[in-house]
Amino acid sequence: MTWREVAKVVDVPEGEAIQVCIDGEPVALYNLDGTFHATHDVCTHALAHLSDGYIDGDCVECPLHAGVFHIPTGKPVSGPVQKAIRIYPVKVENEVVFIQGS
Amino acid sequence: MPSTRHVAIIGAGQAAARAIAALRDAGYDGRITLYGEETELPYERPPLSKEALFGAAGIAPATIYDDAFYRSNGVELALGVRIARLDPATGRIHADTGEGIQADRILLATGARARPCAIPGVDADRVLTLRNLADARRLRARLASTQRLVLLGGGFIGLEIAAGAARLGCAVTVIEAKPRLIERAVSAEVSATVHALHASHGVTIKTSSGIVRARQGHAETELLLDDGSTCAGDLIVAGVGAQPNAELAREAGLACDNGIEVDRDCRTRSAIVWAAGDVAWRPHAFLGGAARLESWDNAEIHGDRAGRAIAASFGAPAPADTPDAPPWFWTDQYDLNLQIVGCVTDSDRMVTRGGARDTGPVIFHFRGSRLRGAELLSAGRDRSPVRRLVQQGWSGMPDRLGDTGVSLKELLNQAREVAGAAQGEKQ
């Protein structure tokens, strides 16, 4: 369980997400009003990237079929999604964002 | 709710699967039986004209839920069973094997089938259509050895197949009767964009074209078109629309128009029969009248609504009457993901919002001063705020929607504030 540096705070505008990579897996890194969260980037329903999704409050809507996940917990909220999305621990130190890989 | 109650769902597609989830979510704990003519668990159809035909992984149904879902929800699966008739007064159903089934509620989710396309002088088995997994399997096998492919119909299905086949190296010709591609669903501007995209991949497109005659060779079929030109193919695929599988309902005496007539709760004129998905003709407030929509999104909405309404008929709380969202469709061709929200074919004013960051443009459509729809070209990220904006309405200057200096989120908030203020004045 190692912390990996994935981005600088300034790389992720508030209310948006970017795609980063951890252990070969695509991960979406979100900035929700200055608090950072990370989920797996591939929707649990079909092949689409949540980092391309629409963020509304603390939820993200998949750009393909409009499945909605709660970002802090990864729980499915609405739409066709049934399975929760994997979440990753995140920490910020000296304006640098770290995600804990496996 | 006593568990001896029985809901029979006829048709095992996406609307059916969503209805099952909604029934259980709403607290219905009685029997559910799912009848389907195909032997597959309910699966999604959009991949059939995309990954299923051309994906490296081969053909596997994109099932909506796995068997564990049906097991854990106590759903009895009667797959590979055709229902021959039903009595909407008593709930009696007959399978074509003669078996009789008694149901307390019936949901018809029988979908639609590809419209047949007869070409004079061509054997019917030379013209394939694509609707279900078996069709996709047949088509995939044939495409592997096809050099020249002719598509009848320049709609979503035909063009998705054209795009995939062109990428495989087939010589592809699309024959469309209308003056432009996808005329029913997209604006003239987007038709032109799609036309140019296919042309750039070497696809020959013949619009305003009909077939005059055909000549069958050993393996190939030659078609003479009404402009005097000919085109030949070793495979012909017709994508000329679908028609509702409403016969079961019609023969049972249920009212049918272009599909089975239902109310907002997807209930037919019978108190114990509902209909959902591609087969249902349902009032749609955004469209201003009843409509039969063939889309993934519509199947989701109908299935959920019907499931909750059926549960409510047994005493569960009535489903929330959420406003009808603008219809939403999408298609994938080459690297273009085209999404369509609301009404875009009858607009008299368009505002283009240039792609921000790595997304393509969004074209907003107005009719008079009313925002009615939008087309998103590889701009899936914008779909959610755009759809909400179309639903909310926009009373500002139309050109404001083209100002990329203001985010869609901000525009949506402005629209909501205006709507909220107007609501406040009324009260």
Side-chain angles (χ1 to χ4, degrees):
Chain A
M1 300 291 272
T2 48
W3 289 97
R4 293 174 210 276
E5 177 181 337
V6 291
K8 301 211 165 37
V9 164
V10 294
D11 295 337
V12 197
E14 284 204 8
E16 293 197 20
I18 62 168
Q19 188 188 68
V20 298
C21 190
I22 295 282
D23 306 328
E25 291 288 315
V27 171
L29 176 65
Y30 309 83
N31 178 350
L32 304 183
D33 291 331
T35 307
F36 286 80
H37 298 272
T39 70
H40 199 278
D41 198 26
V42 178
C43 181
T44 57
H45 169 244
L47 183 56
H49 291 132
L50 295 179
S51 58
D52 289 334
Y54 176 71
I55 298 166
D56 193 11
D58 55 5
C59 291
V60 61
E61 181 177 322
C62 175
L64 195 51
H65 297 133
V68 176
F69 295 96
H70 182 237
I71 294 167
T73 60
K75 291 206 171 112
V77 175
S78 64
V81 290
Q82 299 293 314
K83 267 195 289 188
I85 189 104
R86 179 178 173 187
I87 56 171
Y88 297 81
V90 179
K91 69 176 181 182
V92 176
E93 281 174 3
N94 302 321
E95 299 300 301
V96 175
V97 186
F98 296 83
I99 294 179
Q100 196 171 46
S102 49
Chain B
M1 281 187 237
S3 57
T4 53
R5 292 190 164 149
H6 185 203
V7 175
I9 301 180
I10 303 174
Q14 191 183 340
R18 295 300 289 175
I20 291 168
L23 272 163
R24 291 300 188 221
D25 189 57
Y28 171 72
D29 62 0
R31 283 179 64 199
I32 299 176
T33 309
L34 178 63
Y35 295 92
E37 285 185 27
E38 291 174 75
T39 52
E40 309 288 342
L41 290 173
Y43 58 87
E44 298 194 359
R45 288 182 199 281
L48 292 183
S49 47
K50 308 175 180 79
E51 300 92 311
L53 293 183
F54 304 105
I59 206 157
T63 48
I64 295 161
Y65 304 116
D66 57 14
D67 358 317
F69 167 86
Y70 300 96
R71 244 193 336 268
S72 66
N73 281 296
V75 178
E76 298 162 52
L77 297 173
L79 301 175
V81 175
R82 204 180 85 82
I83 299 300
R85 60 197 161 89
L86 62 93
D87 182 342
T90 62
R92 194 80 187 153
I93 298 168
H94 295 273
D96 64 357
T97 54
E99 185 200 357
I101 303 125
Q102 187 60 42
D104 298 292
R105 303 286 186 270
I106 297 168
L107 172 60
L108 296 169
T110 44
R113 59 181 176 274
R115 184 170 288 139
C117 183
I119 307 171
V122 180
D123 297 343
D125 61 7
R126 288 203 175 197
V127 185
L128 300 189
T129 54
L130 176 59
R131 184 70 201 172
N132 59 30
L133 198 66
D135 297 336
R137 287 203 172 102
R138 196 175 307 126
L139 187 51
R140 186 179 168 109
R142 290 287 302 276
L143 279 167
S145 61
T146 294
Q147 261 126 43
R148 287 180 298 175
L149 170 66
V150 178
L151 289 149
L152 306 180
F156 288 141
I157 302 287
L159 292 176
E160 287 183 355
I161 298 170
R167 275 192 162 167
L168 283 184
C170 285
V172 181
T173 304
V174 176
I175 300 171
E176 168 58 54
K178 297 279 169 52
R180 60 181 179 87
L181 299 175
I182 338 176
E183 191 187 56
R184 245 164 36 114
V186 306
S187 66
E189 287 65 24
V190 168
S191 275
T193 302
V194 170
H195 192 124
L197 179 64
H198 281 272
S200 75
H201 283 84
V203 173
T204 303
I205 296 171
K206 302 255 187 189
T207 49
S208 303
S209 285
I211 297 164
V212 179
R213 265 203 309 277
R215 196 170 54 212
Q216 292 195 142
H218 170 64
E220 66 162 36
T221 308
E222 189 182 55
L223 304 172
L224 173 64
L225 306 184
D226 49 13
D227 66 354
S229 66
T230 59
C231 75
D234 33 30
L235 177 60
I236 302 176
V237 180
V240 292
Q243 53 198 52
N245 293 323
E247 288 77 4
L248 193 57
R250 191 172 282 126
E251 284 158 20
L254 293 167
C256 294
D257 191 323
N258 172 24
I260 306 170
E261 286 182 26
V262 295
D263 65 12
R264 289 184 54 74
D265 277 337
C266 291
R267 200 177 206 156
T268 67
R269 304 277 176 84
S270 156
I272 59 165
V273 182
W274 279 254
D278 289 8
V279 77
W281 171 258
R282 175 179 180 262
H284 197 293
F286 181 88
L287 297 176
R292 191 175 69 76
L293 299 172
E294 293 164 9
S295 72
W296 183 94
D297 183 49
N298 187 62
E300 290 282 303
I301 293 169
H302 279 198
D304 189 75
R305 184 69 176 244
R308 288 178 199 285
I310 293 170
S313 75
F314 287 124
D321 193 23
T322 46
D324 293 320
W328 162 47
F329 303 83
W330 80 88
T331 176
D332 293 305
Q333 297 169 33
Y334 310 101
D335 293 328
L336 172 69
N337 166 256
L338 170 64
Q339 303 199 21
I340 299 129
V341 168
C343 306
V344 301
T345 55
D346 60 350
S347 64
D348 47 26
R349 177 166 193 168
M350 294 189 307
V351 175
T352 300
R353 184 180 173 88
R357 296 212 318 201
D358 50 346
T359 66
V362 178
I363 304 172
F364 288 99
H365 290 267
F366 286 82
R367 184 147 177 88
S369 59
R370 287 184 70 199
L371 174 64
R372 290 293 287 157
E375 293 166 299
L376 298 92
L377 287 85
S378 296
R381 184 197 294 267
D382 293 334
R383 198 255 339 290
S384 182
V386 164
R387 195 176 189 194
R388 287 167 209 225
L389 203 50
V390 171
Q391 177 146 35
Q392 179 69 63
W394 177 252
S395 54
M397 295 295 289
D399 288 344
R400 287 268 290 150
L401 296 183
D403 178 2
T404 49
V406 187
S407 74
L408 285 165
K409 236 178 220 181
E410 277 170 67
L411 291 168
L412 180 59
N413 285 338
Q414 288 173 16
R416 281 174 174 160
E417 275 165 30
V418 171
Q423 197 66 34
E425 274 166 28
K426 261 193 230 164
Q427 283 166 358

